[in-house]
Amino acid sequence: MTIHLARRGFLAAGFAAASVFASARKPLVAQMPNGPFSLPALPYAANANEAAIDVVTMELHHGRHHAAAVAALNNIAHDYPALTTMQIDDALMRLSQAPDAVRTALRNNVGSHANHSMFWEIMGGQGGEPGGDLKAAIDRDLGGFAKMQTDFNAAGMRVFGSGWVFVVVTPAGGLSIVTRPNQDTPLMDGQRVLMGNDVWEHAYYLRYQNRRAEYLTNWWKVLNWDRIAARYDAARNGTLRM
Ligand code: MN
């Protein structure tokens, strides 16, 4: 029995590590030929966020943590085919209708896929400040850009354990700063996610160890405000899905 458990542990560890490499995922790929879910490519080089996030953290976070959630989603879809025809935000809004056997895994892995896909999208920039309609909304609802940063970072510090801090677009069209535990997302409550930062330790521990405040501060240096502004426009015209 000891040997059996050891082998299982070895295999589980090997599977997690192998998820980085498509060529090592043959059993999974054979099971679900075209996904339906796939890991989005980073829209920049893995070292593009060095001002805040080191390249090893980027590669592990994207190529292993997010990839593991995508692999889990494809396995869930095999047992729950209805998932393949749902939009991500619809799946998150309708968790209560999912079969008991998959509901928790759906919540964690659909949430992770939505959160991380958003996270990669909004980085790779040079920081700075937003302009236009988004700046006006931040001034109106969040007290201006400097106060938004201060309040967002403070909210990120208050997340106990693992979770996320977001700026959301509410159904009424206003901006608000919110946090969620684990891989939960405001999409579950019908809000749109404008932007968000991952405060799980895997997001920052290699460079910052326990210094989450420093990570939160540096993160603003790599934001891409053009892409965040595009998300704001999409949220307002109803086309932002995750
Ligand atoms: Mn993460």
Side-chain angles (χ1 to χ4, degrees), residues 61 116 164 183 198 202:
H61 198 174
H116 288 105
W164 290 76
Q183 294 294 355
D198 188 341
H202 67 229

Side-chain angles (χ1 to χ4, degrees), residues 132-178:
D133 288 355
L134 181 52
K135 172 183 162 45
I138 290 168
D139 289 345
R140 179 192 68 213
D141 296 334
L142 301 177
F145 185 68
K147 185 172 191 308
M148 170 191 175
Q149 286 184 300
T150 300
D151 291 348
F152 184 97
N153 291 351
M157 287 299 293
R158 286 194 299 269
V159 174
F160 182 75
S162 298
W164 290 76
V165 52
F166 301 96
V167 177
V168 298
V169 183
T170 68
L175 301 184
S176 181
I177 295 169
V178 303

